[in-house]
Amino acid sequence: MTSQVLYQEPIEEAIASLETWIDNHRQSNLFREYTFSSRSLALLLLQKDPSLWSALKQDEEQCREVEIVLTVAQNKLEYPVNLAIAQTRQQQARRLESIVLQETKRTQTSLTETLHRFTVNPLTGFPLLVVILYFGVYKFVGEFGAGELVDRIEGFYEGQINPIVNQITAQIIPWQSLQDLIANDYGIITLGIRYAVAIVLPVVATYFLMFSLLEDSGYLPRMSLMLDRLFKSMGLSGRAVIPMVLGLGCDTMATMVTRTLETKRERVIATFLLSLAVPCAAQWGVILGLLAQKPAALMVWGGLITAIFLAVGYITAKLLPGSSGGFYMEVPPLRLPKLRNILTKTWIRMKWYFWEILPLFIWASVFIWIGRLTGLFEMIIRGIEPLVAAIGMPPETAPVFLYGFFRRDYGAAGLFDIQQQGLLTGNQLVVAAIVLTLFLPCIAQLQMMIKERGLKTTIAMVLFIVPFAFLTGYCVNLGLTLLGVNL
Amino acid sequence: MNALSTVTIGQSQTVVHLATDQQNVMRKLMALGIMPGSSLVLEQRFPSYIIKVGHTRTALDGETAASIFVE
Amino acid sequence: MNCHQCPKNNCTNQKSPGWWKLFRKTPRALELSSQDAQIALVGMPNVGKSVLFNRLTGIYVTVSNYPGTTVEVSRGLAQIGEQNVLVIDTPGMYSLVPISDEERVARDLLLKTSLTAVIQVVDAKNLGRMLPLTFQLIEAGLPLLLAVNMMDEAHRLGLKVQQKALAVELGIPVILTSAALNQGIDELKSALAKCLPSERVAIPA
């Protein structure tokens, strides 16, 4: 027999009467599917377990019976029933721990302890946060991943693979239109796979590598506690820091992880901000690459997106009813990450990501092909050209916004192509980058939003995001023109 | 009875009271081992409260920490 | 933290990601018959449930150094003794009364699934804080085993756990493990084997 915890007298009395009551109702709909013992179910009822009580409430008679038992017990106790129960367990646990756990030496301040202090002390912690973001995100992912790596892989792809593909297709497929499906400017291999492999993958890989490192070292919870106050102003808590940082890698993954947030309100705000103002790695990586030569343009883009993130968060928090959940988080010890674990994790995430986006990129190529063949695309592009012109863009960018609908990063990658041709001014680049960042999330993220938040909420968010993105683009363009700024 | 906002940092304290009428806050604190009778060390207050119970560190915001009273 | 868990949930991949894995995993999943034993890994957040799941099943689920990494249930097959056993990894929970959504996932799984064994994973360094959940699982009448994990870190802090005394006091099997270092896994498996319904033993006439 296993040892049971004995609770205070009034609680044991309540358990006894509830146990009898449960045993009598064991076959009812309420308890039939439960595997727990009657004693355990009685304790759950006494602790006001939300799901058991909501089931119980369907029958007012039953509900009253249980409530009476609970009230009788409560009146005899000094503390609330659930606190009394927890205390008894805790005392028993502590007693048992003192029997079975021996501390042989006093722990002295170790290196990890010193490091921990360094990460959470405001005087050192905030500068450290900035340093990590600068080197980890900007230098490593931005300059190395999105700059160096993309340049090389892209250069190799365009220089070595595309000509061969074009040549082979030209030889084996006699029809020009079918050749265009596979090769040439918009082909599956020359455009779809090239975007995925040469532009998106290097950025995402470097970001996930960096994220895994932060994850395994135990730094992320420390980041959460450092940023809790800032996030509170947006109706979120420090808990939302992890999804947001993950969102800078992949918004789809991040939307799924918003599940760890406590209140529905927090989850809605986090999902909304992720889809509006948190660009994924592929997207900001490409944008960083685009704007790298123009530091002022980069500052305008970064500053504006951050400002929108904070302002929209602040306003949403004011408008949405309810309060933000409290912040509590265990802070695990700092650990030296194991290289193997980091590589495995990065690999798994990349694999997931790659297989998630590759079909979309291929489909996009196919749609573009069909669209161009039937002239449908021309029509749509014609249709959005005035819109594009309104935000000061050359007509060549219209397709980019159309592609951006398939995936935000696909749009960004298209922008990359146009910029390579030298068609855009600094102002136009900034406006396009801003609109594409704010614009609709990719299809995968939309699916995840519907799954996690429901169709209605998702539609409401989309209905806000699309006009907002273009309106912001319009305002920025107007502002820059009026001020006579040339970035 | 003292609020956490007034106690000395780095000294062991015994919890005497949890002043909250929110079930969830209460449950959270209990789950983290913070309840009357348990001892804790306050490590810092800004930007978040950090509390150590046994070998466990927990970060809390000001409002949650305000419900903890020590001897 | 892990989208790649969605395809993984049911052993087979639902969508595009990793289509080649379909060829590897589906046959394994198909081997599972409805009579196979099911065991669940439960415990507070950040105690190493997912690492242990990796060790038992060989299936990778994301492991991180912060609480709340696992937000969904993962399932995988493990070979225990001669049998195939379905192992279920659950999100962390602090007590049987859930606070957040992912805790509810874990609790409801325990409440509504008939399990052959439940392994509660605890952090040796914080044993005292973890035991209240142990008491609740015992109260619920679940077939419980206790895996006292992170023994390596406990050693470094100068902590010693009296395995036998703990097992006697609780009245359940207790195994000491360091899942990250692959220590104690065999012991855990053999303790598990004892909980499983014995194979159709051929009784000699």
Side-chain angles (χ1 to χ4, degrees):
Chain A
M1 253 324 276
T2 51
S3 60
Q4 298 268 11
V5 178
L6 271 183
Y7 299 94
Q8 283 158 281
E9 195 61 35
I11 293 176
E12 282 297 338
E13 282 164 15
I15 294 174
S17 60
L18 282 179
E19 259 187 297
T20 329
W21 182 80
I22 291 167
D23 285 336
N24 291 336
H25 292 75
R26 198 79 211 194
Q27 289 315 311
S28 75
N29 284 334
L30 181 53
F31 296 115
R32 196 165 27 190
E33 55 176 343
Y34 295 163
T35 60
F36 289 6
S37 69
S38 301
R39 181 180 172 85
S40 172
L41 292 175
L43 277 158
L44 287 179
L45 283 176
L46 283 175
Q47 292 168 91
K48 286 266 173 190
D49 178 84
S51 36
L52 275 190
W53 272 85
S54 68
L56 197 66
K57 287 218 173 88
Q58 286 162 11
D59 187 332
E60 276 183 31
E61 187 70 26
Q62 289 182 345
C63 205
R64 214 165 304 130
E65 283 177 56
V66 178
E67 247 159 21
I68 290 169
V69 176
L70 190 59
T71 316
V72 169
Q74 183 59 73
N75 286 340
K76 293 185 200 159
L77 289 166
E78 182 190 355
Y79 291 118
V81 170
N82 58 1
L83 184 58
I85 292 173
Q87 265 178 307
T88 307
R89 285 175 184 152
Q90 188 71 44
Q91 280 156 12
Q92 183 108 335
R94 245 180 264 137
R95 188 188 62 80
L96 188 51
E97 186 188 47
S98 67
I99 299 173
V100 299
L101 199 71
Q102 276 135 16
E103 206 156 352
T104 52
K105 60 172 185 213
R106 288 250 33 102
T107 43
Q108 62 273 66
T109 317
S110 60
L111 179 65
T112 47
E113 197 52 39
T114 318
L115 260 176
H116 161 76
R117 300 247 160 91
F118 189 78
T119 58
V120 296
N121 186 316
L123 290 179
T124 49
F126 285 118
L128 181 73
L129 190 67
V130 175
V131 167
I132 287 178
L133 288 179
Y134 180 73
F135 282 100
V137 179
Y138 182 75
K139 282 282 176 188
F140 182 61
V141 186
E143 290 195 352
F144 173 70
E148 191 85 353
L149 279 183
V150 168
D151 276 351
R152 295 204 175 186
I153 303 177
E154 161 83 355
F156 172 79
Y157 208 105
E158 297 242 41
Q160 309 292 321
I161 299 180
N162 276 4
I164 300 176
V165 174
N166 288 346
Q167 214 177 349
I168 295 177
T169 348
Q171 271 165 15
I172 55 172
I173 302 174
W175 305 281
Q176 170 75 33
S177 54
L178 214 54
Q179 284 171 14
D180 283 347
L181 177 61
I182 311 282
N184 302 333
D185 282 354
Y186 296 92
I188 292 177
I189 299 180
T190 46
L191 183 86
I193 298 184
R194 176 169 64 89
Y195 277 181
V197 172
I199 299 183
V200 173
L201 201 62
V203 185
V204 172
T206 41
Y207 190 83
F208 283 157
L209 193 66
M210 200 255 335
F211 188 78
S212 306
L213 201 76
L214 290 183
E215 239 184 343
D216 279 22
S217 62
Y219 182 69
L220 289 178
R222 289 166 174 84
M223 197 161 160
S224 302
L225 77 90
M226 297 301 284
L227 294 178
D228 177 58
R229 279 168 192 261
L230 177 70
F231 272 55
K232 281 274 162 59
S233 67
M234 297 182 286
L236 296 167
S237 76
R239 294 207 140 220
V241 169
I242 293 175
M244 290 300 161
V245 177
L246 184 66
L248 285 174
C250 170
D251 283 307
T252 313
M253 286 187 187
T255 305
M256 178 165 171
V257 170
T258 55
R259 210 179 285 178
T260 56
L261 302 178
E262 229 181 303
T263 61
K264 191 175 167 227
R265 180 169 178 267
E266 263 184 286
R267 292 192 286 263
V268 169
I269 296 177
T271 310
F272 179 53
L273 288 177
L274 280 171
S275 58
L276 178 73
V278 179
C280 67
Q283 209 183 2
W284 66 256
V286 173
I287 288 171
L288 222 59
L290 284 176
L291 303 179
Q293 310 306 323
K294 300 183 168 69
L298 194 59
M299 296 287 275
V300 171
W301 172 78
L304 211 85
I305 297 296
T306 314
I308 289 174
F309 178 79
L310 295 173
V312 172
Y314 181 79
I315 294 165
T316 318
K318 283 269 173 290
L319 294 181
L320 266 188
S323 62
S324 48
F327 173 65
Y328 71 104
M329 188 179 255
E330 256 183 270
V331 185
L334 286 169
R335 297 189 175 109
L336 192 67
K338 292 198 184 80
L339 186 66
R340 222 186 100 96
N341 290 356
I342 290 184
L343 292 180
T344 319
K345 196 159 22 174
T346 308
W347 171 243
I348 299 252
R349 287 218 171 103
M350 263 172 61
K351 206 163 70 178
W352 178 86
Y353 186 86
F354 195 67
W355 291 115
E356 185 74 24
I357 64 162
L358 191 65
L360 288 172
F361 274 35
I362 293 176
W363 275 115
S365 293
V366 174
F367 279 131
I368 293 170
W369 178 74
I370 297 175
R372 282 164 56 87
L373 209 62
T374 55
L376 195 67
F377 253 47
E378 285 301 301
M379 269 170 57
I380 302 178
I381 288 173
R382 223 35 73 65
I384 57 175
E385 257 170 20
L387 215 59
V388 171
I391 59 171
M393 291 286 127
E396 288 87 349
T397 47
V400 169
F401 289 97
L402 190 58
Y403 307 158
F405 182 75
F406 291 104
R407 271 190 76 91
R408 284 198 290 195
D409 46 7
Y410 194 93
L415 207 57
F416 185 80
D417 265 0
I418 293 183
Q419 197 254 358
Q420 299 289 59
Q421 297 159 23
L423 287 174
L424 295 171
T425 66
N427 283 12
Q428 290 173 328
L429 268 180
V430 171
V431 173
I434 288 170
V435 176
L436 274 175
T437 309
L438 300 176
F439 198 53
L440 276 188
C442 69
I443 291 180
Q445 190 184 347
L446 266 181
Q447 285 171 341
M448 190 60 79
M449 284 166 73
I450 294 170
K451 186 178 156 220
E452 295 286 322
R453 297 291 90 82
L455 190 62
K456 250 181 25 201
T457 315
T458 308
I459 290 177
M461 288 180 186
V462 169
L463 284 180
F464 175 82
I465 289 171
V466 179
F468 182 78
F470 277 100
L471 201 67
T472 310
Y474 179 79
C475 291
V476 172
N477 183 47
L478 197 69
L480 290 176
T481 316
L482 285 181
L483 293 174
V485 183
N486 278 311
L487 292 164
Chain B
M1 203 163 87
N2 293 303
L4 270 193
S5 53
T6 63
V7 303
T8 325
I9 283 174
Q11 272 177 15
S12 181
Q13 314 278 353
T14 308
V15 180
V16 287
H17 183 56
L18 298 181
T20 174
D21 42 8
Q22 280 177 279
Q23 285 280 329
N24 265 357
V25 176
M26 185 81 106
R27 280 196 185 126
K28 266 184 288 200
L29 293 175
M30 291 189 310
L32 295 162
I34 302 167
M35 61 182 81
S38 56
S39 47
L40 57 80
V41 177
L42 178 67
E43 293 193 332
Q44 70 174 51
R45 290 196 186 95
F46 185 85
S48 295
Y49 279 72
I50 300 182
I51 287 168
K52 202 167 179 182
V53 183
H55 291 281
T56 312
R57 272 210 176 87
T58 305
L60 300 172
D61 57 9
E63 296 124 62
T64 313
S67 57
I68 304 171
F69 286 87
V70 294
E71 214 158 56
Chain C
M1 180 117 297
N2 20 39
C3 284
H4 58 271
Q5 274 186 358
C6 39
K8 201 174 286 114
N9 279 333
N10 37 15
C11 281
T12 56
N13 294 305
Q14 300 152 324
K15 292 192 299 185
S16 43
W19 46 267
W20 70 81
K21 275 204 275 175
L22 280 172
F23 299 106
R24 191 161 58 82
K25 275 196 186 143
T26 320
R28 275 189 88 189
L30 287 179
E31 283 165 31
L32 180 75
S33 68
S34 54
Q35 280 110 43
D36 271 338
Q38 295 190 57
I39 60 174
L41 291 165
V42 300
M44 291 196 189
N46 211 36
V47 294
K49 293 178 292 296
S50 297
V51 188
L52 205 55
F53 179 79
N54 295 355
R55 296 292 180 201
L56 288 173
T57 62
I59 293 173
Y60 185 88
V61 290
T62 305
V63 178
S64 304
N65 187 12
Y66 56 81
T69 306
T70 308
V71 293
E72 288 207 328
V73 168
S74 305
R75 296 183 163 83
L77 284 181
Q79 183 89 27
I80 307 288
E82 300 279 284
Q83 297 187 46
N84 269 343
V85 174
L86 185 72
V87 183
I88 306 167
D89 184 27
T90 64
M93 58 172 173
Y94 285 106
S95 84
L96 281 188
V97 183
I99 305 175
S100 63
D101 271 7
E102 78 261 24
E103 276 189 86
R104 184 161 303 123
V105 170
R107 206 284 298 264
D108 287 352
L109 181 113
L110 282 179
L111 187 57
K112 291 172 185 172
T113 319
S114 140
L115 296 158
T116 318
V118 176
I119 303 173
Q120 189 201 351
V121 188
V122 297
D123 173 0
K125 306 189 297 295
N126 295 301
L127 193 59
R129 197 165 59 82
M130 312 261 152
L131 285 172
L133 180 60
T134 316
F135 298 146
Q136 294 171 60
L137 294 166
I138 292 174
E139 271 164 5
L142 298 169
L144 193 67
L145 280 87
L146 195 69
V148 183
N149 196 23
M150 300 192 178
M151 284 305 296
D152 50 330
E153 290 191 347
H155 277 306
R156 230 169 295 143
L157 288 173
L159 299 172
K160 266 189 88 178
V161 178
Q162 305 289 320
Q163 182 183 6
K164 286 218 180 89
L166 186 56
V168 170
E169 287 284 334
L170 291 172
I172 57 170
V174 173
I175 303 96
L176 306 183
T177 60
S178 302
L181 303 178
N182 210 1
Q183 286 167 5
I185 308 301
D186 290 338
E187 288 85 342
L188 181 63
K189 280 188 175 177
S190 52
L192 265 178
K194 286 176 198 153
C195 303
L196 300 178
S198 52
E199 299 272 287
R200 282 150 252 109
V201 187
I203 302 164

